[in-house]
Amino acid sequence: MSDQNLTEWRKLALTLEGEVNKVIVGQEGPIKLITTSIFARGHVLLEGDVGVGKTTLLKAFARSIGGGYERIEGTIDLMPNDLIYHTYLGEDGKPHVSNGPILKSGEDLSIFFFNEINRARPQVHSLLLRIMAEKTLSAFNNEFKFPHLIVFADRNQVEKEETFEIPSAARDRFMMEIPIAIPQIDKLMTSLVFDTKFHDADKLIEEAKEKVFKFDKLNEVSKNIQENVNATDALKTYSLNLWKATKNPGLYDIKISGIDVNRLIISGASPRGISMMMKCARVNAWMDNRTSVLPEDIHAVFHETIAHRLVFNPVYELRRTEIAKELTQEIIKKVSAP
Amino acid sequence: MHKFFSILLFFSVMGLNAYEDPNKFKDVDPKFIELAIIEPKQRVGYTVGDIIDRDITILIKKPYQLIEESLPIVGYEKRYRGQLLGMTLRDIQFNKKNTEDSITYKISLKYQIFTNNVVAKPAFITADYYRLINPAEPDKIVKVRIPELTIATSPIAIFGAVKVEDDMSTFRGPLSIETISSKMKVQYGAIGFVISILTLFYIYSRYTWFPKQSRFFSYIYRKYKKSNPNEKEIESFISALHHGFNQTINQALFINNKEELFKKNNSFKYIESEIDDFFKLSKAINFEKKTNFNQEEACAWLVIFSLHCRMCERSLIVDSGDIKKLGFK
């Protein structure tokens, strides 16, 4: 793919971002991050309260990207086969089997949204992990492939009743965990409450332009971005230091009030995690029309790509969200570049 | 009247007794004595209140030993031929060390001058005679002579200017042996006060700077001001400047958190545009590996920029005119 094509694709990426921003207000940050993850071809974990617009956001993306969009709700009695098929008695009185949400769109499946993933059992998580990692599924003596699939999952960090915490290995497969918060701007909040266009989400989504680009070209575009955006030795050293700081923050004089940082971390970011961080940083640089990654590109994605991978001491696990945020901020503050 | 003359006669006799006839006892054979005296270095210029130290070490071979009662008595005012000399023994320290065949006495004497001559006048500590006894022959007491010490007393005023006896103003304190007069103390105090006030004004002023107060950029400027304009040196220079900024705010400085720097030291706000240019240069060299710039100009620019940073660090006002003249972009 030529540089010219990459330039054109950049315009399309910005169009995609703009189209979703037209529909979803006050979420410019998360929308840019989701766009980044789409072009970095990584799965995304969304974190946020109910009713903040996560589903609408993903539907808008699915509409603009094209391809299949499927969704499933995580419940405590959900089993892996519920993702693959469901059985019913047909009009002819005979049992029938039809494809479940994973198989329904076939290879064209581009976005799969798993709502409240932490309500589902670990068996379901493990199936999803395979689909996320290998983008294949074995069922009915066949192997199904999902080359264009990106999984979006949502978990509610506040409620812990009847939930199954996603294991660190599963969390590590998500490229980003993006917090979705209600915009704290009075004008926007008033508009969300009183503007009638926000009352009908399905109609609202129709405002977003459909199929901005060919979704089946995304893998190739992503590969080209990674090959064409450079990282210098200084940046490699910087990212290496960031990685080390996630493993041993005490070495970098990182302090968090009320936390013993030397006991905080059980396991820092994984090699896969840092690799995903760099992939996202490259996409961020590309979206900002640069051919080299800057520290600011890493900063733009650092918290979202790293925080959910850190394994904390159980003493601090209940306060994960706030501690992880403070820790990633402190790491960026303390690790210098160059 | 008769009683008065009796008392006068008694004290006159006592005064005569205080002066001992040196011929009363025979001198000890010198072979029994080793005498060492440490005299004060100052021999002239003594005046009222001054102390004269005299250390005497005397080794007396056996069978003789010192009659300790013959040592001078504290408070005794020295006389010569019955006349007061104007000095008193103020203190005496005495110890002895006994060996098999001798006894060593160490005697420290402190004399204080009480004369206030109006003209410079020779004076002296008279010779003392310490008595020795041989316990085997207690009747044959001998003596050893401690030689006199000649000194000179000086007037405390030019002849006739002040007569202390007539100048007993209650506004004048007692004569003091302190070397710094009250007037000098007041002068020193006033100078100290003025310096303190000026220092405080300086500290709270806009141009606060003290030697060695500058911390990071001073060192960087000194180290790199004569650096060679090559790629490696420029990279090192930029890295050092980044380090200086990081040290200044105690965290990593990036272009998007430069407000932290201004919060820490508002002087850097005056060179904000230079800081932006520095980050552009740093990015170009470190992260974009751009090589299409004039290294000589870049180096010169960095030197002036580091100088400006040093001035900001010292809260001095920076004139950006010099860096603009370079025209480096």
Side-chain angles (χ1 to χ4, degrees):
Chain A
M1 190 177 281
S2 66
D3 288 353
Q4 193 184 350
N5 274 342
L6 272 184
T7 309
E8 283 166 15
W9 268 96
R10 183 180 161 269
K11 284 177 191 164
L12 293 174
L14 295 179
T15 307
L16 171 70
E17 194 183 341
E19 287 300 317
V20 180
N21 267 320
K22 271 196 325 198
V23 177
I24 310 292
V25 293
Q27 299 292 355
E28 290 81 4
I31 288 168
K32 178 158 190 190
L33 287 166
I34 292 172
T35 310
T36 304
S37 73
I38 287 168
F39 281 90
R41 309 307 294 148
H43 309 292
V44 175
L45 198 54
L46 297 174
E47 185 207 340
D49 293 339
V50 288
V52 292
K54 293 189 290 284
T55 312
T56 314
L57 176 67
L58 293 180
K59 276 185 177 172
F61 265 109
R63 179 182 168 84
S64 293
I65 291 173
Y69 167 79
E70 296 297 336
R71 166 188 174 152
I72 196 164
E73 304 297 323
T75 56
I76 196 164
D77 57 351
L78 186 76
M79 294 305 285
N81 52 8
D82 294 330
L83 270 70
I84 301 166
Y85 67 92
H86 63 90
T87 54
Y88 60 98
L89 278 174
E91 286 176 0
D92 54 3
K94 293 179 180 175
H96 287 265
V97 177
S98 69
N99 288 337
I102 287 283
L103 297 180
K104 203 179 278 178
S105 299
E107 287 196 1
D108 286 348
L109 182 64
S110 63
I111 290 183
F112 182 77
F113 180 34
F114 201 128
N115 199 17
E116 299 216 59
I117 188 173
N118 54 341
R119 290 203 183 279
R121 289 165 177 270
Q123 298 95 310
V124 182
H125 293 162
S126 65
L127 174 73
L128 196 70
L129 285 183
R130 177 178 168 185
I131 297 170
M132 285 163 67
E134 297 172 15
K135 297 196 174 176
T136 58
L137 170 71
S138 300
F140 312 122
N141 294 324
N142 276 321
E143 189 170 72
F144 298 91
K145 291 182 180 172
F146 314 100
H148 313 297
L149 172 69
I150 292 182
V151 173
F152 287 83
D154 150 54
R155 64 170 171 167
N156 185 338
Q157 287 278 42
V158 180
E159 288 176 333
K160 298 287 176 190
E161 295 286 322
E162 293 188 343
T163 60
F164 298 92
E165 195 49 61
I166 309 170
S168 58
R171 287 203 306 264
D172 201 58
R173 281 177 168 77
F174 286 98
M175 181 174 263
M176 291 194 192
E177 181 177 42
I178 302 172
I180 309 284
I182 303 164
Q184 296 299 317
I185 302 167
D186 285 355
K187 196 178 169 189
L188 282 180
M189 290 168 82
T190 310
S191 163
L192 283 172
V193 176
F194 294 100
D195 193 338
T196 50
K197 79 171 186 178
F198 294 114
H199 294 178
D200 187 347
D202 290 334
K203 201 174 173 190
L204 181 68
I205 289 165
E206 286 171 13
E207 287 182 22
K209 190 178 170 186
E210 210 175 355
K211 295 179 183 171
V212 173
F213 46 70
K214 291 178 180 171
F215 73 93
D216 54 352
K217 297 283 180 195
L218 279 171
N219 287 338
E220 194 186 345
V221 173
S222 175
K223 189 167 169 273
N224 276 288
I225 293 168
Q226 298 302 321
E227 284 169 359
N228 283 285
V229 179
N230 306 311
T232 59
D233 288 344
L235 190 106
K236 286 173 189 167
T237 308
Y238 179 58
S239 52
L240 185 67
N241 286 335
L242 288 174
W243 188 14
K244 286 179 186 169
T246 67
K247 291 172 178 292
N248 200 342
L251 282 180
Y252 291 82
D253 194 28
I254 290 161
K255 294 186 180 93
I256 304 173
S257 63
I259 306 287
D260 179 359
V261 289
N262 295 318
R263 291 180 57 220
L264 174 65
I265 303 283
I266 289 177
S267 171
S270 60
R272 175 168 47 202
I274 290 295
S275 155
M276 285 182 172
M277 179 195 81
M278 277 311 300
K279 277 179 94 174
C280 290
R282 280 193 160 101
V283 173
N284 197 75
W286 170 74
M287 285 177 72
D288 286 353
N289 204 16
R290 275 183 278 105
T291 52
S292 301
V293 184
L294 300 181
E296 283 77 4
D297 294 318
I298 294 179
H299 298 172
V301 297
F302 186 69
H303 175 77
E304 288 75 14
T305 52
I306 296 298
H308 63 286
R309 299 173 203 279
L310 306 175
V311 182
F312 288 164
N313 189 314
V315 176
Y316 300 114
E317 195 59 45
L318 277 175
R319 292 166 58 202
R320 157 173 282 280
T321 307
E322 58 178 286
I323 293 174
K325 189 166 189 178
E326 205 168 340
L327 178 66
T328 52
Q329 281 173 353
E330 283 298 309
I331 289 174
I332 285 173
K333 271 185 186 176
K334 291 291 180 182
V335 179
S336 58
Chain B
M1 197 66 179
H2 177 74
K3 194 178 177 182
F4 172 75
F5 280 113
S6 302
I7 292 167
L8 193 64
L9 183 65
F10 172 75
F11 278 107
S12 303
V13 171
M14 286 296 288
L16 286 171
N17 284 346
Y19 165 67
E20 188 175 71
D21 182 3
N23 299 319
K24 190 175 176 180
F25 301 107
K26 282 184 181 174
D27 288 328
V28 68
D29 188 338
K31 70 179 182 187
F32 291 102
I33 296 296
E34 282 176 24
L35 185 65
I37 303 175
I38 301 172
E39 304 286 18
K41 285 180 184 170
Q42 184 188 345
R43 293 298 177 91
V44 295
Y46 287 101
T47 187
V48 175
D50 286 351
I51 304 281
I52 301 169
D53 290 312
R54 208 173 187 210
D55 294 315
I56 297 166
T57 305
I58 181 167
L59 183 143
I60 301 169
K61 290 178 184 161
K62 288 181 178 176
Y64 287 104
Q65 62 184 58
L66 183 70
I67 300 173
E68 291 173 12
E69 287 74 14
S70 67
L71 291 172
I73 300 163
V74 173
Y76 175 68
E77 200 170 356
K78 278 278 180 194
R79 287 165 184 269
Y80 178 68
R81 295 180 189 277
Q83 297 294 311
L84 291 171
L85 288 175
M87 63 184 74
T88 302
L89 183 65
R90 181 186 166 123
D91 187 30
I92 180 169
Q93 298 292 328
F94 165 82
N95 66 58
K96 66 177 178 183
K97 194 176 174 186
N98 209 336
T99 61
E100 198 175 322
D101 55 353
S102 66
I103 305 171
T104 303
Y105 297 87
K106 283 195 174 174
I107 303 158
S108 294
L109 299 158
K110 281 187 193 295
Y111 294 95
Q112 189 163 26
I113 305 291
F114 277 102
T115 185
N116 57 346
N117 288 313
V118 290
V119 290
K121 188 178 175 184
F124 57 91
I125 296 169
T126 55
D128 282 322
Y129 296 91
Y130 298 167
R131 274 171 264 166
L132 311 180
I133 190 170
N134 179 353
E137 296 174 309
D139 296 338
K140 291 184 179 175
I141 291 172
V142 292
K143 69 176 187 297
V144 61
R145 182 176 184 272
I146 308 298
E148 74 269 14
L149 170 67
T150 306
I151 58 161
T153 55
S154 297
I156 56 174
I158 298 165
F159 175 67
V162 177
K163 197 171 181 186
V164 177
E165 293 90 331
D166 296 339
D167 186 12
M168 302 300 283
S169 166
T170 51
F171 296 107
R172 189 188 302 278
L175 288 170
S176 165
I177 60 168
E178 286 181 50
T179 53
I180 302 173
S181 70
S182 301
K183 194 177 172 187
M184 289 291 281
K185 281 183 186 172
V186 171
Q187 283 176 350
Y188 291 151
I191 291 166
F193 180 72
V194 170
I195 290 170
S196 308
I197 293 291
L198 289 175
T199 307
L200 279 173
F201 274 119
Y202 186 72
I203 288 169
Y204 286 104
S205 73
R206 195 173 164 189
Y207 308 104
T208 309
W209 175 70
F210 288 105
K212 293 185 181 177
Q213 191 198 28
S214 46
R215 301 169 72 187
F216 313 113
F217 291 103
S218 182
Y219 169 75
I220 293 166
Y221 174 67
R222 263 202 319 275
K223 187 177 175 190
Y224 289 98
K225 67 181 174 184
K226 289 176 184 169
S227 57
N228 297 318
N230 59 52
E231 194 180 332
K232 204 170 180 183
E233 196 88 335
I234 289 172
E235 275 183 19
S236 169
F237 200 166
I238 289 174
S239 181
L241 285 163
H242 275 296
H243 187 67
F245 283 122
N246 297 346
Q247 295 283 309
T248 303
I249 61 170
N250 198 26
Q251 67 179 63
L253 182 79
F254 296 98
I255 193 74
N256 53 10
N257 70 338
K258 60 187 177 185
E259 286 302 321
E260 295 290 328
L261 178 68
F262 304 148
K263 264 190 231 166
K264 193 83 179 175
N265 185 340
N266 194 46
S267 301
F268 283 102
K269 186 87 180 164
Y270 295 103
I271 58 163
E272 186 175 357
S273 63
E274 289 177 33
I275 292 171
D276 291 343
D277 290 342
F278 167 70
F279 272 98
K280 274 183 206 161
L281 180 65
S282 170
K283 276 176 190 168
I285 289 172
N286 284 306
F287 301 113
E288 294 169 345
K289 284 289 170 200
K290 285 184 182 166
T291 49
N292 57 342
F293 62 88
N294 185 324
Q295 291 180 338
E296 208 160 308
E297 283 180 3
C299 199
W301 189 91
L302 285 168
V303 169
I304 296 181
F305 177 65
S306 65
L307 174 66
H308 287 181
C309 290
R310 188 185 78 165
M311 291 169 81
C312 291
E313 188 175 55
R314 295 173 175 182
S315 297
L316 300 171
I317 292 174
V318 177
D319 174 17
S320 294
D322 49 359
I323 209 160
K324 282 176 188 159
K325 274 183 208 163
L326 290 176
F328 174 71
K329 287 284 171 192

